[in-house]
Amino acid sequence: MKRAITLTMTLTRDWMKGTTPSSSQGLHTTIKRIISIFTGLSYNLIGIVLLLGIWHVVSLVTDGELPGPIATSSVFWELISNPVYDYGPNDKGIALQLYSSLSRVFTGFILGSIIAIPIGLLMGANSFCRKIFYPIVQILKPVSPLAWFPIGLVAFQSASDATIFIIVITSLWPTLINTAFGVASIPDDHKNVAKAFGFSKWKYLTKVLLPYSLPHIITGLRLSIGVAWLVIVAGEMLSGGMGIGFFVWDSWNALSLEKVISAILIIGLVGLLLDRVFSYLEKKVTYSI
Amino acid sequence: MSYLKIENMEIAFNSLKGKFVAVKDINLEVEKGQIISIIGHSGCGKSTIMNAIGGMVFPSKGKVVLNGKEIKGPGPDRGIVFQNYSLLPWLTVYQNIFQAVDAALRNKNKSEKHELSEKYLKMVNLWEHREKYPKQISGGMKQRVAIARAFAIDPEVLLLDEPFGALDALTKASLHIELLKLWNLTHRSKTIVMVTHDIEEAVFLSDRIVVMNNGPAATIREIEEVHLPRPRNKKDTVNLPEYKIIRERLLNLLIEKVALDESEFYKEERAA
Ligand SMILES: Nc1ncnc2c1ncn2[C@@H]1O[C@H](COP(=O)(O)OP(=O)(O)OP(=O)(O)O)[C@@H](O)[C@H]1O
Ligand SMILES: [Mg+2]
């Protein structure tokens, strides 16, 4: 919540900078912005170099039990230089694995959101619904994704569908809770305006409720996609067949830690990318106060 | 039978500790076209009374009658300027007005609604700023948007809750004049009930001033009649003897308590 507000403020500031400058100021701000981008990048670089350093040291200490950055990088390069090969069911390129995982993640995430947003809106807007759904949410939310897997298998008779099922059921909670919180926290001031001027239900929904809660909903979606991406790896380790989780498991069975580490890096990078996309959306829809 | 009538009103809120009575024994009669100010210390229940007239809060005893009908809820016959402006931050200045007009005046068509929004935005000199968002305009401008919004639905009663509260003296003075201009433009037919902390503002604008006791369970302490001639302007009006007399009276009514506190304070000083 606090973070969302900070984001808003930075956004407002950036945006106001963007709209007001006269031509000389414009150049000035552009230069400033470029400098700030470069300082940002250099911090990132330092962090990455530090991580590589630690990794290298650990690899040396363990006598190469854990492959170091250099050994891994050649495997990593091999993986991404030929990403789409397909040598049969157990040997596919990394991009194909990723594609399979991502399509499951998005299917599960979208289904989950379709369930979570309306229920969240109801819970936020109506105290009766809130009281009914709250205990259900409390009980189901902390359940580990893996515990759902057998249920999914029984229900759908297919490992692949069961994986999607566990993504749905574990990724919907952040969206649901954030949506409910957003709607429930609409200030009385805004409600009073709607009351005083006689807003219709529809106008209230589109001009007060949704604009106010949209940033909360998107924050929920951002957390949800993160959960979905966490869960997919575990799910695919169980379900097998295809996907980045399966790839990790398969590489471990083939005793290629280099591949496992490469996959970890790729999982991390894709997760980062997903998060960036949603944080961009978050900034887009966050109105500024 | 007066136009707006508050009869034996008590308003109570349910709190954790049980019933909290904000105001009680409120009796007030307002004629059509009058400007009334409610003045009193913070927390005495001024906004609560306004909300009762607005139909957002319901009396626990007594009733509010407007035009012969008991008030049962909000309605487009009353335009409210809330204490904290209450603009919708995701709508532009223009949209804030247009959406309110659109909701309140259902039998008008779209272009009529647009014309009304335009007219009242121009009236408060904000037409050039119509595409801005509330956070991009100053406090005084927000206040004017809120005033334009309330006027645009052409209500018979205007409820202004500390409309000039957060403004500097200069902006305040010019908005006082703007308010009276708007009132004159509608042939002084609109009834205005205004809450304020500012004694001079109350005297300058109103026909009558309702002075409240302190809460909880606040009551009306006194109602002052202001017979200053209209049209009023700052320069001449404030020099009239009657203006000064009323101002003194109100000051005494409201400052009494502060003076008492002061003497207590000195007592403690001496003791220490
Ligand atoms: N919705 C509410 N629930 C409970 N108590 C309330 C509510 N609204 C107001 N009160 C209480 O009623 C009393 C009067 O509040 P009100 O807002 O009317 O004061 P006010 O005179 O407008 O003060 P100010 O000058 O600071 O705006 C206060 O003690 C306040 O705590
Ligand atoms: Mg108040």
Side-chain angles (χ1 to χ4, degrees):
Chain A
M1 186 57 202
K2 206 166 190 176
R3 202 185 43 75
I5 289 168
T6 330
L7 270 177
T8 318
M9 279 165 30
T10 7
L11 178 72
T12 319
R13 237 186 295 132
D14 288 355
W15 182 61
M16 299 223 313
K17 267 187 209 154
T19 49
T20 44
S22 65
S23 57
S24 71
Q25 260 180 331
L27 189 64
H28 192 67
T29 34
T30 318
I31 291 171
K32 258 193 178 168
R33 193 165 292 179
I34 289 171
I35 290 173
S36 85
I37 287 172
F38 272 103
T39 36
L41 280 181
S42 61
Y43 285 131
N44 289 346
L45 206 66
I46 293 171
I48 289 168
V49 168
L50 194 68
L51 178 69
L52 289 175
I54 295 170
W55 177 10
H56 187 67
V57 170
V58 172
S59 162
L60 286 181
V61 170
T62 56
D63 248 356
E65 281 286 326
L66 182 82
I70 297 155
T72 308
S73 67
S74 66
V75 173
F76 184 81
W77 188 246
E78 224 171 87
L79 279 179
I80 58 168
S81 56
N82 189 7
V84 289
Y85 72 87
D86 186 353
Y87 303 149
N90 282 334
D91 193 6
K92 293 187 202 303
I94 193 78
L96 293 179
Q97 308 280 17
L98 269 179
Y99 173 75
S100 148
S101 292
L102 280 172
S103 55
R104 279 183 197 153
V105 159
F106 274 102
T107 313
F109 167 74
I110 290 169
L111 287 174
S113 307
I114 290 174
I115 299 169
I117 294 174
I119 296 181
L121 292 177
L122 274 178
M123 275 178 73
N126 182 307
S127 65
F128 178 74
C129 291
R130 180 156 52 238
K131 283 173 198 154
I132 302 250
F133 282 110
Y134 194 67
I136 304 179
V137 172
Q138 292 290 301
I139 292 171
L140 296 188
K141 186 174 78 92
V143 176
S144 155
L146 301 182
W148 289 108
F149 197 72
I151 310 282
L153 274 180
V154 171
F156 299 100
Q157 305 287 326
S158 133
S160 173
D161 289 350
T163 314
I164 293 176
F165 168 73
I166 65 171
I167 289 175
V168 171
I169 199 120
T170 46
S171 75
L172 61 82
W173 308 114
T175 302
L176 192 149
I177 290 167
N178 268 275
T179 305
F181 172 78
V183 176
S185 63
I186 297 175
D188 279 345
D189 286 355
H190 298 333
K191 291 186 197 162
N192 282 342
V193 169
K195 259 199 252 168
F197 293 94
F199 279 28
S200 61
K201 284 247 157 59
W202 177 248
K203 198 183 272 297
Y204 180 72
L205 187 75
T206 54
K207 295 293 187 283
V208 179
L209 191 146
L210 284 177
Y212 182 84
S213 32
L214 201 57
H216 295 278
I217 297 176
I218 303 282
T219 305
L221 290 176
R222 180 182 170 192
L223 296 171
S224 282
I225 194 86
V227 170
W229 189 239
L230 266 179
V231 168
I232 186 74
V233 176
E236 285 172 345
M237 281 184 168
L238 282 180
S239 68
M242 207 167 163
I244 190 76
F246 165 72
F247 180 83
V248 170
W249 194 243
D250 197 46
S251 306
W252 163 242
N253 284 334
L255 294 176
S256 169
L257 271 184
E258 289 89 349
K259 274 190 173 179
V260 172
I261 295 174
S262 301
I264 288 175
L265 288 176
I266 290 169
I267 291 168
L269 288 171
V270 172
L272 176 69
L273 195 72
L274 289 175
D275 193 65
R276 290 288 98 186
V277 170
F278 276 85
S279 97
Y280 173 77
L281 281 179
E282 207 175 11
K283 286 185 188 177
K284 273 265 136 155
V285 302
T286 305
Y287 64 90
S288 28
I289 302 156
Chain B
M1 181 77 195
S2 39
Y3 176 68
L4 170 67
K5 194 170 180 190
I6 301 179
E7 284 175 43
N8 289 322
M9 181 173 74
E10 176 200 275
I11 296 173
F13 295 104
N14 292 318
S15 73
L16 289 176
K17 291 180 208 152
K19 194 169 118 171
F20 173 82
V21 178
V23 296
K24 64 170 194 185
D25 298 334
I26 303 293
N27 283 292
L28 184 66
E29 296 193 19
V30 184
E31 299 305 325
K32 194 172 168 65
Q34 272 195 331
I35 302 182
I36 301 283
S37 289
I38 303 177
I39 198 163
H41 289 283
S42 179
C44 70
K46 303 180 295 292
S47 298
T48 305
I49 295 177
M50 294 293 264
N51 285 338
I53 305 173
M56 325 279 257
V57 163
F58 297 99
S60 43
K61 278 184 199 148
K63 58 184 175 182
V64 186
V65 181
L66 178 67
N67 232 344
K69 276 193 238 102
E70 185 173 346
I71 286 174
K72 294 283 183 202
D77 52 345
R78 281 150 289 151
I80 306 180
V81 173
F82 294 97
Q83 183 159 7
N84 36 18
Y85 322 146
S86 292
L87 303 178
L88 298 175
W90 43 83
L91 296 181
T92 60
V93 163
Y94 175 80
Q95 282 295 322
N96 261 288
I97 310 242
F98 180 82
Q99 294 301 337
V101 172
D102 187 41
L105 307 176
R106 301 213 172 157
N107 47 5
K108 292 224 183 325
N109 67 35
K110 211 172 165 168
S111 70
E112 287 172 316
K113 288 169 182 168
H114 168 73
E115 275 162 27
L116 273 173
S117 311
E118 180 174 344
K119 175 179 157 194
Y120 284 94
L121 267 177
K122 284 183 173 160
M123 221 164 182
V124 293
N125 291 323
L126 284 175
W127 183 242
E128 300 78 55
H129 301 281
R130 64 188 175 279
E131 292 308 327
K132 292 189 177 166
Y133 286 87
K135 62 120 206 322
Q136 294 172 286
I137 60 180
S138 71
M141 289 157 86
K142 279 186 207 143
Q143 198 51 74
R144 280 184 280 161
V145 179
I147 291 172
R149 181 173 65 181
F151 271 79
I153 64 169
D154 194 30
E156 290 178 29
V157 182
L158 277 157
L159 304 170
L160 316 178
D161 195 347
E162 286 185 47
F164 315 116
L167 305 180
D168 63 281
L170 278 176
T171 318
K172 210 185 225 186
S174 71
L175 280 174
H176 287 163
I177 301 301
E178 278 187 59
L179 177 70
L180 290 178
K181 261 194 218 156
L182 288 172
W183 185 61
N184 282 333
L185 278 176
T186 48
H187 314 291
R188 300 187 186 175
S189 65
K190 291 195 192 311
T191 311
I192 300 180
V193 183
M194 185 177 83
V195 167
T196 177
H197 274 133
D198 182 335
I199 293 175
E200 327 227 326
E201 171 174 289
V203 182
F204 179 69
L205 294 174
S206 343
D207 296 303
R208 281 156 79 213
I209 300 169
V210 178
V211 184
M212 303 281 299
N213 281 315
N214 286 350
T219 50
I220 292 181
R221 172 150 194 191
E222 208 167 305
I223 299 179
E224 292 285 331
E225 303 274 338
V226 183
H227 294 295
L228 297 170
R230 293 189 191 271
R232 298 177 187 170
N233 68 64
K234 272 269 143 74
K235 240 169 136 186
D236 300 334
T237 305
V238 298
N239 287 320
L240 293 172
E242 186 177 352
Y243 177 91
K244 293 180 183 165
I245 294 168
I246 298 174
R247 211 191 63 183
E248 283 307 303
R249 281 250 288 282
L250 290 172
L251 263 173
N252 286 336
L253 282 174
L254 290 163
I255 302 301
E256 217 176 50
K257 187 155 184 299
V258 180
L260 200 92
D261 287 346
E262 225 167 75
S263 66
E264 301 255 298
F265 173 76
Y266 286 124
K267 223 183 280 164
E268 275 170 33
E269 282 250 295
R270 244 174 275 132

